[in-house]
Amino acid sequence: MRLNQLLGLLLSASVLSAAQAADITLALGTEPSTLDPQTAQDGSERAVSRNIFETLLTRTPAGELVPQLATALPRQIDATTWEVTLRPDLKFSDGKPLDAAAVAASINRIVDPKTASRQRPFFLGIKQAEAVDAVTVKVHTNGADPALPARLSWLTIVSPAAAADGSLSQKPVGSGPYVLTEWSKGNRIVLTKNPNYWNPKAVGNVDRATYRFVAEPGTRLSGLRAGDFDFITNLLPEDTKRVAKAVTLKGTDLPFVSLNALKGLTADVRVRQALNYAVDKEALANDLYGGYASVSHGQLLAPGWFGYDASIKPYPYDPKRATELLKAAGAHGKSIDLYAPSGRWLKDKELAETIAAYWEAAGLKVNFRVLAWAEYLDALNKNRVPTEAQISSSHSNQLLDADRTLSAYYAEGGVAAANDNAELKKLIEDARQEADPAKRQALYSKALQIGRDQAYLVFLLDGGEIFGLSKRVDFSPRVDGLIPLKDFRVTD
Amino acid sequence: MSPTDQGGRGLPRFLLGRFLQGLLVVLGVTTIVFVVTRLIGDPVQAMLPVDASAEDRAVLARALGMDGPIWLQYLHYLRDIASFQFGDSLWQHRPAVDIVLERLSGTLTLCLGALTVAVLLGVPLAIAAALKPGQWADRISVFLSLSGLSLPQFWLGLLLILLFAVTLNWLPSSGSDTAASAVLPIMTLALPALGRIAMMLRSALIDELNSQYVRTARAKGLRSRRVVLVHALRNAAVPTVALLGWEFAAMLAGHTVVVETVFAWPGLGQTAVQAIERQDLVLLQAVVFFIAFLIVILNFCLDIVYRVLDRRIAV
């Protein structure tokens, strides 16, 4: 008995020491093109670089904005000026100070057109930043911009020296909990714990992480099952039963169909509503996505995003109503174009195929076309000068703020909107200027209700990427879609 | 044959001709690539978020130098490749030539490894099969050839991973960390080539062994091993060397694309796929140029080898 206890003790001690220093291997679908966190717009780059770089504010896993490099949320001084105070004595991994000048330089770099940042659309509201003293930064916006705190949670702070000499993309210098120790191009990236990190308590027990780049989903799955990987991205719903653990967070990717309310059959609100009623969202969530998606609440926002309103009702599945509406609008038996991409988003082609079948069942002739990605983007951009094609797409919004989504997909003149609803446009513009969060939410609720009732989109699902985990690793997906190593726990 | 035959005198002219042909091929291929990469879509569009505005796209197009007229872009392109300057990869922001040279060794390792395996196993198998048609060696060679020809490499690769990495746990499932990582991709590349080589050499050898000169040699009392290994094999080698050249070219310009993608092996094939996915015109142009260049060099070398093996081949 005593011997057993002793053995048990020894065993748990060894487990504990292993838990204190763990190496893990993560398989991503593609290799980052750069580790400069300010230039690319790429999930693989973020998966790695967001461990090396930090932001002034960050999000809790549930999406709440909290300070990170800043001591508190930014204060609004006047309509277009905000002030942020930094934690004192912050340092980059090369030992140089992370002060207000470095923060201002990072902000100014990303908004400078010369940087050609692919993330620039996220930061268009920002005009420039200046350092007031060592720890105070003033940020000037182009107009009133209540989404500024959300923007700052996405804006990485980089070493100005490394950015200036052009070495940032290959030798990243940030302030995050991990540092780059190896980048063997095409093969692997290795990060190890930053020994001088300012907030070690927030970091889990991963000491060393190796990222591998495996494009083929079957190989990623095999690697996880063979024990070569602890974490893989983009697991297919049908493969979730073949791995030790599969996790997802619904609402990081929102499939929908954009409708053209200006031209053709879909100019009639009854047709647009019919296209919503005709689709059985529940069946799509359960059968196509294996339960790894849920029915959207009649809006292109997800829980946890500012502006989301859970009281908005989804269109129920009502094929009879759909047919009646189509008949009333004189659209029954007419043809409609539906374009979809293939392989870009989880089950994108299958989803659009199923929608086409539902629309056919409701009484339309659907010209369904799967487009290559480049063709698809062309069609999408032409839709901005509206054509009659309806386009199946998916939306994610890392700022978790309604402004970017509604400005692009709901407001007249938005890059992916095709309606001429002046009231809706005004609500969205007013909300952009409104500093009071409660009033701003009320404006969005109203806008979302209009969008829902006018059926400017076919609202479908709250989906999300599925991650596969080995038995020894724990990780919970976050609302912002990031995969920070500090959130990982290794249990053996 | 006398050493002063037509082939011997014409060698420099022969090589010069082949060299000029090679240059034409490279120019043709690079021009086609230039046109095709511009047909597949606008890289600026592909690099920005889906909801980027027209202004965002214009800014990026300017920054990438893709806002000029197409003929001007073509002239710049020709000028650059003449000096092996392909410019910076749109996706990786570093010289495309550096990326290609980094990945070249990965692809050559796989191709040469697979060819070696295919020859080391295929030639003995073919000899054994040709000496005793219908016997076990012959059956194995027919079975391997048929499986090699009919199994898609994509599928074969995944099956090998399932068997050797997931079930038996003998080999890594992907990557290029250790020498063991190369085993599965080399096997996947080698198997179909092995089948074809064995099949081709087998039938060429059977033809040779049934020919007049072999019978004469045997009748003169020459030892069977010498007849087969020196005389028959040398003559049967010409079509086999041609096939080897073809196998190498097919691996370089096609099969490695699939195998490297399945095994996450950092080589040119994988790079080409990534460049297409990201519409990285610059990188794609560099990859295709180097592959075309290598194949031209390969053909050049093969022409010389043919002449050594069979001096009847004229200019």
Side-chain angles (χ1 to χ4, degrees), chain B residues 250-263:
Chain B
M251 282 181 189
L252 201 60
H255 300 167
T256 47
V257 172
V258 175
V259 173
E260 288 175 5
T261 304
V262 169
F263 288 96

Side-chain angles (χ1 to χ4, degrees), chain A residues 33 118 188 219 228 374 381 384, chain B residues 40 45 50 91 173 177 262:
Chain A
S33 54
R118 275 64 152 171
R188 63 174 177 262
T219 312
D228 293 345
N381 283 326
R384 292 156 191 187
Chain B
I40 59 173
Q45 214 162 254
V50 169
W91 155 55
S173 56
D177 285 336
V262 169

Side-chain angles (χ1 to χ4, degrees), chain B residues 42-117:
Chain B
D42 177 4
V44 171
Q45 214 162 254
M47 271 185 251
L48 286 169
V50 169
D51 50 8
S53 68
E55 187 220 328
D56 296 329
R57 279 180 276 139
V59 167
L60 187 60
R62 251 197 313 282
L64 296 175
M66 312 205 69
D67 54 343
I70 191 102
W71 60 266
L72 194 66
Q73 288 184 35
Y74 181 66
L75 285 183
H76 287 163
Y77 167 72
L78 285 185
R79 180 196 65 199
D80 294 345
I81 56 170
S83 51
F84 281 79
Q85 295 294 318
F86 287 86
D88 283 359
S89 149
L90 303 181
W91 155 55
Q92 296 205 25
H93 318 287
R94 57 198 188 101
V97 173
D98 292 3
I99 301 171
V100 169
L101 293 179
E102 250 167 48
R103 302 295 179 93
L104 189 60
S105 62
T107 297
L108 289 179
T109 307
L110 286 194
C111 293
L112 294 174
L115 273 187
T116 311
V117 170

Side-chain angles (χ1 to χ4, degrees), chain B residues 111-193:
Chain B
C111 293
L112 294 174
L115 273 187
T116 311
V117 170
V119 169
L120 286 184
L121 296 179
V123 171
L125 203 60
I127 295 174
L131 287 178
K132 289 181 178 170
Q135 302 270 322
W136 62 269
D138 194 22
R139 288 198 191 140
I140 292 178
S141 98
V142 170
F143 173 75
L144 276 179
S145 316
L146 288 179
S147 349
L149 289 172
S150 49
L151 266 182
Q153 264 166 328
F154 177 79
W155 181 239
L156 178 63
L158 286 177
L159 284 182
L160 291 177
I161 293 177
L162 216 58
L163 178 62
F164 290 103
V166 179
T167 309
L168 299 172
N169 229 322
W170 288 353
L171 293 164
S173 56
S174 64
S176 63
D177 285 336
T178 58
S181 314
V183 174
L184 289 182
I186 285 180
M187 272 167 72
T188 310
L189 260 187
L191 271 178

Side-chain angles (χ1 to χ4, degrees), chain B residues 20-43:
Chain B
L20 290 176
Q21 274 177 14
L23 271 187
L24 266 180
V25 169
V26 170
L27 181 72
V29 168
T30 46
T31 305
I32 291 172
V33 171
F34 180 86
V35 175
V36 169
T37 48
R38 269 141 188 92
L39 285 181
I40 59 173
D42 177 4

Side-chain angles (χ1 to χ4, degrees), chain A residues 229-290:
Chain A
F229 307 140
D230 296 299
F231 176 94
I232 62 171
T233 56
N234 283 311
L235 188 65
L236 299 173
E238 56 268 34
D239 289 336
T240 51
K241 289 198 180 72
R242 301 164 69 191
V243 303
K245 281 180 252 178
V247 293
T248 191
L249 189 71
K250 296 168 189 172
T252 46
D253 247 310
L254 312 179
F256 68 98
V257 182
S258 54
L259 302 179
N260 191 327
L262 294 171
K263 256 186 164 181
L265 286 187
T266 43
D268 188 322
V269 63
R270 291 169 295 184
V271 175
R272 300 197 300 270
Q273 288 171 339
L275 297 178
N276 272 282
Y277 282 120
V279 180
D280 185 351
K281 277 82 66 177
E282 199 87 44
L284 289 174
N286 293 327
D287 301 339
L288 192 57
Y289 290 90

